[in-house]
């Protein structure tokens, strides 16, 4: 079926070219063109197109960002090829989003764009970018991230044993923590390549390293050769601790000096070249957190007891406790519908507030010691909560585990994202229309 569809798409492209028909703008960001200045189709991607104006606009943005960062870029022909590859990948993912029903409505968009972004209007206008175009790109980026998360997240598996091992390693090195500011070039070389093809890519990687060592701009070479999403930003990876890097990176980066270039390093995706831009020492302070000791009474709405009646019932119980008619413990044992705490007088023991339902958490953390809340609605029903006490505890070990999980997940997510994108790219029909 895919072969038939591809043939039909090729036929449609050929007919369009032979008839000299200029396609109308199909992209969400495209604006109507004056008569005689109709936008040209530059690339056909499956059932969609990329317009000349989209390529030109992205090239303009990349050049503007590079100028601000004092970053060198390749010649326009090479830069255009890199921009086209970025837009092709984006188009593939956006079309996948449409097929799966992903969308970002205006309300979601406005919530995501912070007040800081809205204050960028003057800066955007100075760069020749309309705020409306910025919002459209923001919407597109939200959709791209949502699809990537949906498709790639289920491919990532992190075991508790791996988390524990890495957490111990992080703890052992807490007194000598070092961060590295890195940039990165990725040359595509999947495991399906032949030995000869792999050797050719590796040779190219070594040539790039020699150019860098002779003084060539790493950022320019990244924008020229790298398939990494950050290629057009000079391959910038930012700051990272050694344990946050994939093991194959960590082994050659650790101990390297600022200004050095290391690699090539082989992964499932290809060959990596890493530039150590800077190195700094950091402190690892102890992590403290607050635990709460609370008790509660829960009344659940039912088909017989309406939500309003449940609220009134819990309010009546609260008034009885405040008047001294019964104690909180007695009321919990008599009325609470939480089987886990009712027999203990509603006592929930010591707990991190983060484990509670959001509404319950918000209520308990706003109480003072000995204070009882007004009726609170959570996803379970209506509560009254009494805060018995709070205490500070050392949560450093748990913080190490949380950090270890994030590190392992992000490492695998980034690698799987590259593999997934290349898989989708390989299945897509892409036709670049030469000028």
């Amino acid at each position: 079926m895919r072969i038939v569809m591809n043939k039909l798409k090729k036929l449609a492209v050929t007919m369009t070219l032979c008839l000299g028909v200029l396609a109308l703008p199909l992209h969400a960001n495209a604006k109507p063109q004056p008569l005689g200045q109709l936008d040209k189709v530059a690339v056909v991607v499956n059932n969609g197109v990329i317009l000349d104006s989209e390529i030109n606009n992205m090239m303009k943005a990349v050049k503007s960002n590079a100028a601000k960062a004092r970053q060198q870029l390749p010649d326009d022909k090479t830069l255009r090829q890199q921009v086209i590859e970025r837009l092709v990948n984006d188009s593939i993912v956006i079309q996948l989003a449409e097929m799966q029903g992903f969308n970002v409505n205006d309300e979601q968009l406005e919530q995501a764009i912070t007040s800081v972004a809205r204050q960028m209007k003057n800066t955007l206008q100075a760069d020749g970018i309309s705020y409306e175009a910025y919002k459209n790109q923001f919407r597109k980026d939200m959709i791209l991230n949502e699809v990537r998360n949906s498709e790639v997240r289920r491919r990532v598996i992190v075991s508790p044993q791996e988390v524990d091992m890495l957490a111990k390693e992080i703890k052992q090195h807490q007194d000598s923590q070092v961060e590295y500011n890195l940039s990165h070039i990725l040359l595509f070389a999947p495991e399906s390549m032949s030995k000869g093809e792999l050797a050719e890519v590796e040779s190219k990687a070594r040539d790039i390293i020699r150019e860098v060592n002779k003084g060539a701009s790493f950022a320019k070479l990244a924008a020229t050769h790298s398939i990494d999403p950050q290629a057009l930003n000079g391959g910038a990876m930012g700051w990272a601790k050694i344990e946050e890097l994939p093991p194959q990176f960590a082994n050659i980066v650790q101990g390297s000096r600022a200004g050095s270039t290391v690699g090539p390093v082989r992964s499932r995706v290809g060959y990596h070249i890493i530039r150590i831009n800077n190195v700094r020492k950091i402190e690892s302070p102890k992590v403290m957190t607050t635990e709460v000791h609370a008790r509660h009474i829960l009344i659940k709405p039912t088909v017989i007891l309406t939500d309003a009646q449940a609220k009134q019932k819990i309010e009546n119980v609260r008034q009885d406790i405040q008047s001294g008619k019964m104690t909180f413990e007695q009321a919990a044992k008599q009325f609470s519908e939480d089987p886990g705490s009712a027999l203990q007088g509603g006592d929930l023991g010591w707990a991190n507030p983060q484990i509670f339902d959001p509404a319950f958490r918000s209520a308990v953390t706003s109480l003072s010691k000995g204070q009882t809340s007004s009726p609170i609605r959570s996803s379970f029903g209506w509560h009254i909560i009494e805060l018995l006490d709070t205490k500070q505890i050392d949560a450093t070990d748990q913080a190490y585990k949380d950090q270890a999980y994030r590190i392992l997940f992000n490492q695998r997510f980034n690698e799987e994202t590259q593999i997934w994108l290349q898989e989708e790219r390989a299945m897509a029909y892409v036709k670049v229309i030469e000028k």
Side-chain angles (χ1 to χ4, degrees):
M1 177 61 74
R2 183 178 293 274
I3 294 173
V4 173
M5 287 299 294
N6 285 348
K7 287 183 178 179
L8 289 173
K9 292 169 189 171
K10 291 179 181 178
L11 177 60
V13 172
T14 304
M15 291 175 64
T16 300
L17 295 175
C18 291
L19 293 172
V21 177
L22 297 176
L24 294 176
L26 299 178
H27 194 274
N29 293 343
K31 295 181 178 180
Q33 301 290 325
L35 190 61
Q37 298 182 16
L38 291 178
D39 215 344
K40 293 182 180 179
V41 172
V43 187
V44 177
V45 184
N46 290 331
N47 297 320
V49 297
I50 297 171
L51 304 177
D52 234 7
S53 61
E54 296 177 69
I55 298 171
N56 294 333
N57 287 340
M58 179 169 274
M59 287 186 67
K60 182 179 178 181
V62 170
K63 288 181 178 181
S64 175
N65 291 336
K68 291 175 183 176
R70 297 183 179 179
Q71 171 195 330
Q72 293 185 39
L73 290 173
D75 59 85
D76 279 2
K77 181 179 179 181
T78 304
L79 181 61
R80 182 181 174 87
Q81 291 173 342
Q82 282 283 63
V83 166
I84 287 174
E85 276 302 307
R86 170 69 66 83
L87 290 172
V88 165
N89 286 337
D90 287 355
S91 179
I92 292 169
V93 178
I94 289 293
Q95 290 181 52
L96 184 61
E98 291 171 354
M99 287 190 294
Q100 296 183 354
F102 284 103
N103 187 33
V104 174
N105 58 41
D106 290 341
E107 183 179 351
Q108 292 170 314
L109 181 63
E110 289 301 324
Q111 289 176 353
I113 298 181
T114 64
S115 58
V116 175
R118 294 190 184 96
Q119 293 167 6
M120 291 176 60
K121 288 185 179 181
N122 293 335
T123 304
L124 292 169
Q125 288 172 357
D127 290 339
I129 303 170
S130 71
Y131 185 62
E132 200 59 36
Y134 172 81
K135 285 173 62 178
N136 288 336
Q137 183 61 43
F138 202 97
R139 187 197 305 271
K140 176 181 173 182
D141 290 341
M142 287 178 67
I143 295 173
L144 289 170
N145 288 332
E146 186 68 27
V147 176
R148 288 190 188 111
N149 286 339
S150 173
E151 292 294 317
V152 179
R153 186 175 291 273
R154 62 173 174 262
R155 298 167 62 142
V156 177
I157 298 174
V158 178
S159 71
Q161 293 81 5
E162 291 173 309
V163 171
D164 289 341
M165 287 179 62
L166 182 55
K168 289 179 183 177
E169 184 179 337
I170 295 172
K171 186 176 181 179
Q172 288 171 359
H173 294 92
Q174 63 176 320
D175 296 327
S176 57
Q177 285 280 11
V178 175
E179 276 191 329
Y180 297 86
N181 187 288
L182 306 174
S183 294
H184 172 236
I185 293 173
L186 172 59
L187 303 181
F188 184 54
E191 295 172 326
S192 57
M193 274 188 172
S194 66
K195 289 184 178 180
E197 290 171 326
L198 290 173
E200 187 176 338
V201 178
E202 183 179 2
S203 177
K204 180 180 177 181
R206 296 191 184 281
D207 289 341
I208 291 173
I209 294 173
R210 279 191 284 270
E211 288 186 56
V212 173
N213 290 336
K214 289 178 182 178
S217 166
F218 190 95
K220 181 178 179 179
L221 290 168
T224 303
H225 301 289
S226 183
I227 67 163
D228 186 79
Q230 292 301 317
L232 295 175
N233 294 327
M237 293 175 64
W239 289 97
K241 300 184 185 76
I242 200 69
E243 62 269 10
E244 293 174 338
L245 301 174
Q248 62 266 39
F249 284 17
N251 292 336
I252 62 170
V253 167
Q254 190 165 24
S256 298
R257 295 181 179 180
S260 59
T261 303
V262 295
V265 183
R266 182 82 174 97
S267 76
R268 293 166 59 201
V269 184
Y271 285 97
H272 306 258
I273 303 165
I274 305 164
R275 175 77 170 178
I276 294 88
N277 302 314
N278 209 345
V279 182
R280 67 186 180 190
K281 288 187 177 181
I282 58 170
E283 294 183 0
S284 298
K286 182 180 290 188
V287 178
M288 303 298 293
T289 190
T290 301
E291 283 195 348
V292 297
H293 183 194
R295 57 185 178 182
H296 80 132
I297 297 171
L298 170 65
I299 301 296
K300 298 179 181 179
T302 65
V303 292
I304 299 173
L305 189 70
T306 67
D307 192 73
Q309 290 171 333
K311 181 181 179 182
Q312 185 58 56
K313 183 177 180 180
I314 198 74
E315 176 60 35
N316 293 340
V317 171
R318 178 174 177 271
Q319 290 176 4
D320 286 345
I321 294 171
Q322 289 183 329
S323 67
K325 188 175 181 180
M326 62 177 62
T327 66
F328 196 104
E329 182 178 359
Q330 289 170 337
K333 289 180 178 179
Q334 183 175 346
F335 297 109
S336 183
E337 297 176 32
D338 175 16
S341 68
L343 294 179
Q344 283 72 46
D347 196 333
L348 295 168
W350 287 100
N352 187 320
Q354 296 302 316
I355 70 169
F356 296 133
D357 175 276
F360 192 102
R361 176 172 66 244
S362 177
V364 75
T365 53
S366 66
L367 294 174
S368 300
K369 182 178 177 180
Q371 184 181 5
T372 301
S373 72
S374 300
I376 302 297
R377 182 70 163 91
S378 78
S379 57
F380 299 99
W382 286 96
H383 310 253
I384 53 172
I385 310 164
E386 182 183 1
L387 180 62
L388 300 173
D389 205 354
T390 63
K391 66 179 179 182
Q392 291 285 309
I393 65 166
D394 184 349
T396 308
D397 285 346
Q398 184 58 49
Y400 289 146
K401 288 187 178 182
D402 293 343
Q403 182 184 359
Y405 177 83
R406 289 195 302 271
I407 290 169
L408 291 168
F409 181 87
N410 289 337
Q411 287 175 0
R412 290 171 193 181
F413 184 88
N414 292 336
E415 184 175 6
E416 287 295 335
T417 297
Q418 288 291 339
I419 295 171
W420 171 72
L421 282 173
Q422 293 302 326
E423 290 172 352
E424 293 295 327
R425 178 70 169 79
M427 293 189 294
Y429 170 74
V430 179
K431 172 67 176 179
V432 179
I433 302 172
E434 300 294 341
K435 288 187 175 181

